[in-house]
Amino acid sequence: MSGWTEFVAAFAVFLLSHAIPARPAVRARLVGALGERGFLIAYSIESLVVLTWLIVATGRAPFVELWPFETWQMWAPNLALPLVCQFAAFGIGAANPLSFGGDPRKSFDPQHPGVVGIVRHPLLWAIGLWAGAHAVPNGDLAHGLLFGFFALIALLGMMIIDRRKRRQLGAARWAELAARTSFWPFAALISGRFKPRPSRISALRLALGVAAWLSLLLLHPLVIGVSPLP
């Protein structure tokens, strides 16, 4: 396959590989065969492989310029990625009944919501910021479709989850849990609804976020073939 054919095929496989396992009947059968942990490991590996193919196929697609490249555009991902990595580091496995990616076994305190007080959907915002920032220096059609898709899915995902959680929990309970959180990053902090306690900030998660950012920065030329620095 070459040109747009590979790009369309990779996009289709990516969508199907996420849509099919998410169906309750399919997921139940896979969990029954692999176990919950086995399913999550297999799903993660499969997602990474398909995503890698999609990124490679995007790079091979015919170049159709949407806007010209300027060196200053590279500052967008360079400024966004440290925040993206911190959102991911603090969001994965956190106590968060209002979004996905958290640990349901952890107790959530709406008076002290942790990272959820910074942003209600840390992982989806990480994806959206990553995609939106990378779209800026990649002004061709294929990359515009790729990063635009991820940014749109992240935004729609947050809106859908908020609506679903409000329905599942009931309006009163959802409002109680979300009182010190915000859809937009830092909005609850700026308004004063959320007042973080520095002593409760996890040094380990902070270090993991920094390590992830530095790893992406150093590996980008080797994996993607282009230096991320202006």
Side-chain angles (χ1 to χ4, degrees), residues 113-174:
V115 67
V116 190
I118 298 296
V119 62
R120 192 154 56 240
H121 304 285
L123 294 182
L124 285 172
W125 268 106
I127 295 171
L129 286 174
W130 166 81
H134 276 79
V136 176
N138 290 281
D140 63 281
L141 180 57
H143 283 93
L145 291 172
L146 174 69
F147 293 126
F149 168 78
F150 279 106
L152 180 61
I153 287 299
L155 179 60
L156 290 177
M158 289 183 272
M159 297 170 65
I160 290 171
I161 290 174
D162 273 356
R163 187 164 59 247
R164 181 186 302 154
K165 291 292 184 178
R166 189 182 288 109
R167 184 177 65 251
Q168 292 174 343
L169 296 169
R173 178 58 175 164
W174 187 90

Side-chain angles (χ1 to χ4, degrees), residues 4-218:
W4 290 111
T5 303
E6 182 183 12
F7 177 77
V8 172
F11 230 125
V13 172
F14 179 85
L15 293 175
L16 290 173
S17 68
H18 284 74
I20 294 175
R23 295 180 65 84
V26 176
R27 191 183 192 284
R29 293 187 64 179
L30 291 173
V31 170
L34 302 173
E36 184 69 28
R37 183 178 179 84
F39 167 76
L40 292 175
I41 292 174
Y43 182 71
S44 298
I45 293 174
E46 174 267 338
S47 297
L48 181 60
V49 170
V50 175
L51 177 60
T52 300
W53 179 32
L54 177 56
I55 293 173
V56 171
T58 302
R60 292 174 177 167
F63 183 82
V64 179
E65 185 178 272
L66 299 178
W67 59 83
F69 171 77
E70 301 288 347
T71 303
W72 66 263
Q73 295 168 352
M74 298 180 71
W75 280 109
N78 275 284
L79 292 174
L81 260 293
L83 183 60
V84 166
C85 291
Q86 290 300 331
F87 279 177
F90 278 88
I92 295 174
N96 186 359
L98 300 174
S99 189
F100 85 100
D103 187 344
R105 297 170 297 180
K106 292 182 178 178
S107 176
F108 178 73
D109 181 0
Q111 298 301 314
H112 304 286
V115 67
V116 190
I118 298 296
V119 62
R120 192 154 56 240
H121 304 285
L123 294 182
L124 285 172
W125 268 106
I127 295 171
L129 286 174
W130 166 81
H134 276 79
V136 176
N138 290 281
D140 63 281
L141 180 57
H143 283 93
L145 291 172
L146 174 69
F147 293 126
F149 168 78
F150 279 106
L152 180 61
I153 287 299
L155 179 60
L156 290 177
M158 289 183 272
M159 297 170 65
I160 290 171
I161 290 174
D162 273 356
R163 187 164 59 247
R164 181 186 302 154
K165 291 292 184 178
R166 189 182 288 109
R167 184 177 65 251
Q168 292 174 343
L169 296 169
R173 178 58 175 164
W174 187 90
E176 177 187 354
L177 294 175
R180 298 182 186 276
T181 74
S182 57
F183 182 90
W184 300 104
F186 305 107
L189 182 66
I190 294 171
S191 68
R193 288 185 290 115
F194 171 58
K195 297 180 180 180
R197 294 190 289 182
S199 61
R200 298 191 64 176
I201 297 175
S202 170
L204 176 59
R205 287 181 180 267
L206 184 65
L208 288 173
V210 173
W213 167 61
L214 290 174
S215 298
L216 292 172
L217 191 67
L218 295 173

